[in-house]
Amino acid sequence: RIAILKRKVEVEGLEVPYDVLSFVADRVSSNIRELEGALIRVVAYSSLTRHAVDIDLAQSVLKDIFPERSAQPISVSAIQREVCKFYSLSQQELISNKRSQAIVYPRQVAMYLSRELTDLSLPRIGAEFGGRDHTTVMHATAKIQKLMNAERDVYNQIQTLTNVVRQKN
């Protein structure tokens, strides 16, 4: 995430201290759009108020939009539970070996969210989904990311689910 922000700063020709980049990267973990949006918000506020970009400014600008990460880590089962509610599935169906599109897509969404919202390794996430291989998790993450970039409704679904999971945690 820091590398993405560094690239954005270089492309835009901005002066942003490393500690601010680190702070923004720590606060925003859901996707690149939000990550870059948070950085732009801090820089724009700095420009409007004529204050230097520093950690205090970043904290005040982002405090309402991206609250501190919860002390309680998000679990894969919590993610699975919310995805099942959202797509009207049972958790047994989600982790089953069934390959119908009505089950595969929500499973891929749940794997993507597990990758984004937890610090678990790919093999550990795969294990939480019926003992799947880490490459399956990699494929699911890549596929959902690609769909999010291509289709606005998929992006909105993922954002909604991300917010629901974070609020219920």
Side-chain angles (χ1 to χ4, degrees), residues 85-101:
K85 282 184 201 172
F86 193 83
Y87 293 105
S88 303
L89 293 173
S90 71
Q91 262 184 294
Q92 289 74 29
E93 287 176 310
L94 191 70
I95 64 172
S96 73
N97 288 331
K98 293 181 183 175
R99 293 187 181 179
S100 69
Q101 187 61 27

Side-chain angles (χ1 to χ4, degrees), residues 72-95 106-107 109-111 113-114 117 128-129 161 164-169:
Q72 197 94 8
I74 296 172
S75 69
V76 173
S77 61
I79 293 168
Q80 289 174 343
R81 190 171 39 254
E82 295 307 322
V83 169
C84 286
K85 282 184 201 172
F86 193 83
Y87 293 105
S88 303
L89 293 173
S90 71
Q91 262 184 294
Q92 289 74 29
E93 287 176 310
L94 191 70
I95 64 172
R107 182 184 301 138
V109 167
M111 286 181 183
L113 290 172
S114 297
L117 300 176
E128 295 282 339
F129 285 89
L161 278 165
V164 167
V165 169
R166 285 189 172 148
Q167 287 173 357
K168 299 250 173 133
N169 192 36

Side-chain angles (χ1 to χ4, degrees), residues 5 8 32-42 62 66:
L5 291 175
K8 181 72 171 173
I32 293 173
R33 285 188 188 123
E34 280 190 14
L35 188 64
E36 290 179 346
L39 177 66
I40 290 168
R41 187 173 286 120
V42 171
L62 300 179
F66 302 107

